């Protein structure tokens, strides 16, 4: 247990250096959400999207969560590559803390997401977004929790399967409906009753709603708290599962 | 002197959806300190599976083992601190530099930042990698790559080194170099080397003692001369004849190899 922190730092450092040296892929990771912002955002400007907030305060949080869902859900892909190259076993033969092998990667993932989110918000501001700084920071915290949760699940899945062919279909078939049902592009309050009800079973919806309320400065109406609680609960469950898999798996 | 490795009844069964594979079916063996043990067997005999159990990567289905003085099941950490392992297909990221891999490895073995940097230079010097330190691992030749894999496993100067088919896929020159290197590790550092191979000439030339595995079991063991005398009738017979007598088949030639999932 005593080595978890140092080992997490070592693992994080390795992956941060690796990610930082491929700046192009960092950019491409954020390209799709940026395109949404710039090419789709202006279409919404004059529409009335629901109570409180203008279209940018609705769209930017949605795109932020979308970026989080996609980048975190596919995080496990890198482990598949590393398993193929023998890197995972090579590290598991050293005395390194098993938990650090997961946490170190999560540290890199959250930093990467933070950098991309920051760019996204800044571009949003240039496009017309106005939001309180505290709200934006709360938003980063919420998506950070969500990212930790999803990336843990993704890594755990990748440790258990043997090929991208087993991994990709599971992730995409879960991810796409999740994106649609959490009201990422348009708020679910616009949906007909049955769709709205269905979406209440998708936990990400609460995070999207919470980030939107944070961006309009409505911290106290309960939805920020609910979103935070859902994200935290997801993170606890997923990290628990991820830890179990990393401790036990004989990948 | 206690043995470097002692196993009793080590087994491993893989269960997949539609079949059950008994990869290792009860292996008892003892490896003495300072010897090069050749773990010889055809493809699919269970060599890699045995190695992955002995290196703590794979929990045995049953059986016990003591590796480098520590119980495999009760104290895997103690085992990990004292062994080095080179997997059949290595373990470096082709996109990462040689220096980054060696230094990270040092850090994972709990060296400080400066110690890890120093150890990287030292290992690179010993294994002829100094000029390659800033290249990506993917740019190395087969022989250079193997030397890097071994350097990675030597980071913490382990007393016991596991090598899984170290010369498979190497050209004859690199192969001879690697044999030299392995002998040097035994002679100059008293290292125990447990190496698997499906090459009879390699087992014959390099190993102090052989354990022949077939179908997950130990089929025979002894020095090369002993095996030849017992199974082929003469100490100067070919190891091939002894091998056929023991397993009832030839080892596969490389061209005929089917890749085994690892
Ligand atoms: N992870 C695994 N899942 C299922 N079967 C496996 C697995 N690993 C190895 N096997 C099977 O176990 C047997 C022994 O494999 P292995 O130990 O790799 O042999 P060797 O290294 O001697 O070529 C083979 O039949 C192989 O297909
Ligand atoms: Mg093998």
């Amino acid at each position: 247990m005593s080595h978890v922190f140092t080992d997490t730092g070592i693992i994080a450092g390795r992956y941060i250096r690796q990610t930082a040296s491929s700046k192009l892929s960092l950019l491409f990771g954020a390209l799709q959400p940026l395109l949404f912002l710039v090419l789709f955002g202006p279409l919404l400007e004059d529409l009335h999207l629901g109570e409180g907030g203008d279209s940018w305060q609705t769209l930017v949080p949605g795109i932020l969560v979308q970026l989080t869902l996609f980048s975190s859900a596919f995080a496990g892909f890198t482990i598949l590559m590393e398993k193929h190259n023998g890197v995972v076993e090579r590290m598991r033969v050293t005395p390194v803390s098993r938990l650090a092998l997961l946490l170190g990667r999560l540290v890199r993932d959250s930093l990467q997401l933070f950098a991309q989110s920051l760019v996204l918000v800044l571009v949003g501001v240039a496009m017309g977004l106005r939001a309180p700084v505290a709200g934006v920071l709360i938003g980063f915290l919420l998506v950070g929790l969500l990212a930790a949760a999803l990336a843990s699940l993704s890594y755990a899945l990748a440790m258990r399967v043997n090929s991208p062919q087993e991994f990709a279909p599971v992730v995409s078939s879960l991810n796409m409906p999740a994106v649609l049902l959490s009201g990422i592009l348009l708020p679910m309050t616009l949906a007909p009753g049955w769709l709205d009800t269905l979406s209440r079973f998708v936990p990400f919806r609460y995070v999207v709603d919470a980030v939107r309320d944070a961006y309009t400065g409505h911290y106290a109406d309960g939805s920020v708290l609910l979103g935070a609680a859902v994200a935290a609960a997801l993170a606890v469950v997923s990290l628990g599962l991820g830890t179990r898999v990393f401790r036990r798996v004989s990948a | 002197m206690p043995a470097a490795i002692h196993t009793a009844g080590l087994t491993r069964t893989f269960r997949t959806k539609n079949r059950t594979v008994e990869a290792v079916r009860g292996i008892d063996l003892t490896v003495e300190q300072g010897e090069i043990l050749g773990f010889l067997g055809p493809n699919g005999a269970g060599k890699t599976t045995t190695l992955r159990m002995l290196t703590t990567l794979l929990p045995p289905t049953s059986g016990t083992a003591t590796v480098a003085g520590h119980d495999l099941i009760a104290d895997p950490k103690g085992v990990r601190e004292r062994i080095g392992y080179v997997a059949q297909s290595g373990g470096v990221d082709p996109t990462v530099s040689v220096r980054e891999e060696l230094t990270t490895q040092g850090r994972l073995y709990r060296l400080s930042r400066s110690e890890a940097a120093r150890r990287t230079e030292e290992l690179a010097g010993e294994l002829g990698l100094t000029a390659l330190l800033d290249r990506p691992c993917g740019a190395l030749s087969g022989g250079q790559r193997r030397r890097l894999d071994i350097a990675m496993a030597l980071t913490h100067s382990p007393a016991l080194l596991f090598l899984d088919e170290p010369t498979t896929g190497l050209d004859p020159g690199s192969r001879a170099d690697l044999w030299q290197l392995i002998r040097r590790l035994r002679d100059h550092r008293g290292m125990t080397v447990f190496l698997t191979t499906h090459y009879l000439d390699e087992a014959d030339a390099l190993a102090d003692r052989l354990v022949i595995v077939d179908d997950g079991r130990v089929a025979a063991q002894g020095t090369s001369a002993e095996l030849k005398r017992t199974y082929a009738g003469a100490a100067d017979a070919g190891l091939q004849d002894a091998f056929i007598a023991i397993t009832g088949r030839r080892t596969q030639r490389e061209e005929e190899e089917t890749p085994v999932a690892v």
Side-chain angles (χ1 to χ4, degrees):
Chain A
M1 207 53 201
S2 56
H3 290 292
V4 174
F5 286 106
T6 6
D7 287 357
T8 298
I10 293 165
I11 297 293
R14 173 197 163 90
Y15 290 112
I16 289 168
R17 284 190 295 280
Q18 200 176 354
T19 303
S21 71
S22 61
K23 295 181 186 65
L24 214 58
S25 72
L26 254 180
L27 184 71
F28 275 116
L31 195 62
Q32 203 201 11
L34 282 174
L35 286 177
F36 257 107
L37 203 61
V38 176
L39 303 179
F40 179 71
L43 297 181
L44 303 179
E45 263 183 355
D46 293 328
L47 299 180
H48 187 69
L49 296 179
E51 72 281 10
D54 65 14
S55 71
W56 294 109
Q57 286 168 319
T58 303
L59 185 65
V60 173
I63 293 179
L64 205 57
V65 175
Q66 187 190 29
L67 169 68
T68 308
L69 289 183
F70 273 97
S71 60
S72 313
F74 284 99
F77 235 100
T78 55
I79 280 208
L80 284 174
M81 296 297 297
E82 290 188 315
K83 268 167 74 171
H84 178 77
N85 291 324
V87 175
V88 173
E89 287 214 332
R90 168 201 123 208
M91 289 187 177
R92 293 176 63 83
V93 152
T94 73
V96 69
S97 145
R98 321 280 97 178
L99 184 54
L101 291 177
L102 174 63
L103 295 182
R105 286 180 168 89
L106 293 179
V107 168
R108 183 265 316 261
D109 296 342
S110 10
L111 282 177
Q112 178 177 337
L113 180 69
F114 178 69
Q116 291 173 333
S117 305
L118 200 61
V119 172
L120 200 70
V121 169
L122 290 177
V123 172
V125 169
M127 299 291 294
L129 169 72
R130 294 296 171 266
V133 173
V136 171
L137 292 180
I138 291 174
F140 285 159
L141 276 178
L142 288 170
V143 296
L145 277 175
L146 190 62
L150 287 175
S152 299
L153 290 180
S154 181
Y155 286 130
L157 177 66
M159 288 294 272
R160 299 302 297 264
V161 303
N162 290 313
S163 66
Q165 288 78 11
E166 287 171 82
F167 178 81
V170 177
V171 174
S172 346
S173 60
L174 289 176
N175 217 30
M176 201 55 205
V179 166
L180 291 173
L181 284 174
S182 41
I184 273 178
L185 294 178
L186 297 171
M188 271 296 159
T189 42
L190 298 176
W194 66 269
L195 191 56
D196 186 34
T197 308
L198 191 59
S199 88
R200 287 183 192 281
F201 292 97
V202 177
F204 313 133
R205 174 191 173 151
Y206 301 98
V207 182
V208 181
D209 286 347
V211 181
R212 282 189 179 134
D213 271 357
Y215 272 46
T216 51
H218 296 114
Y219 311 127
D221 69 359
S223 96
V224 173
L225 209 62
L226 179 60
V230 169
L234 272 180
V236 167
V237 171
S238 312
L239 277 168
L241 196 90
T243 306
R244 258 174 69 106
V245 170
F246 270 72
R247 284 240 167 93
R248 277 225 259 151
V249 91
S250 37
Chain B
M1 215 165 43
I5 303 175
H6 183 77
T7 76
L10 213 54
T11 72
R12 174 68 202 203
T13 306
F14 292 106
R15 284 193 174 78
T16 52
K17 263 164 258 143
N18 34 32
R19 62 191 191 122
T20 300
V21 181
E22 291 183 62
V24 174
R25 310 167 185 242
I27 286 199
D28 306 299
L29 56 81
T30 301
V31 181
E32 300 302 338
Q33 284 186 34
E35 73 174 341
I36 299 178
L37 182 97
F39 202 56
L40 174 69
N43 278 324
K47 303 184 296 295
T48 298
T49 304
T50 305
L51 229 67
R52 290 179 65 220
M53 286 194 280
L54 294 177
T55 53
T56 76
L57 289 169
L58 192 67
T61 305
S62 65
T64 57
T66 309
V67 178
H70 292 256
D71 188 275
L72 189 60
I73 314 295
D75 185 16
K77 258 195 157 150
V79 174
R80 286 180 197 127
E81 280 160 10
R82 286 162 186 83
I83 62 163
Y85 169 59
V86 178
Q88 203 164 333
S89 46
V92 293
D93 190 319
T95 64
V96 167
S97 77
V98 171
R99 185 189 302 281
E100 167 79 37
E101 284 296 34
L102 283 170
T103 312
T104 303
Q105 189 78 343
R107 301 282 285 142
L108 295 180
Y109 278 110
R110 311 260 144 85
L111 300 183
S112 72
R113 236 180 265 271
S114 57
E115 283 167 345
R118 191 188 50 73
R119 185 72 180 133
T120 296
E121 298 289 344
E122 193 173 88
L123 283 166
E126 278 174 41
L127 289 156
L129 298 166
T130 305
L132 305 169
L133 276 174
D134 294 306
R135 300 239 186 114
C137 298
L140 270 50
S141 74
Q144 295 167 338
R145 185 70 173 263
R146 274 283 104 153
R147 294 207 302 275
L148 171 58
D149 289 327
I150 292 177
M152 302 276 292
L154 295 179
T155 300
H156 53 308
S157 310
L160 171 59
L161 181 64
F162 291 91
L163 302 171
D164 199 359
E165 310 234 0
T167 65
T168 298
L170 292 191
D171 62 83
S174 313
R175 202 161 175 241
D177 287 348
L178 209 63
W179 287 5
Q180 274 314 112
L181 170 65
I182 294 168
R183 289 199 187 99
R184 238 175 29 231
L185 292 173
R186 175 198 55 193
D187 295 342
H188 298 178
R189 304 201 196 176
M191 202 174 278
T192 309
V193 180
F194 185 109
L195 81 96
T196 78
T197 182
H198 66 271
Y199 296 121
L200 291 168
D201 58 339
E202 179 160 284
D204 206 2
L206 196 53
D208 298 316
R209 212 158 53 81
L210 296 173
V211 171
I212 295 183
V213 275
D214 191 25
D215 208 13
R217 290 199 180 86
V218 174
Q221 51 182 314
T223 63
S224 178
E226 284 165 4
L227 292 175
K228 290 171 189 168
R229 201 177 315 119
T230 313
Y231 296 95
D236 57 358
L239 188 58
Q240 176 86 12
D241 300 321
F243 190 84
I244 295 171
I246 293 163
T247 65
R249 64 180 120 149
R250 295 167 171 273
T251 52
Q252 283 164 297
R253 292 193 168 279
E254 181 138 31
E255 313 69 279
E256 301 161 5
E257 263 178 31
T258 43
V260 176
V262 283

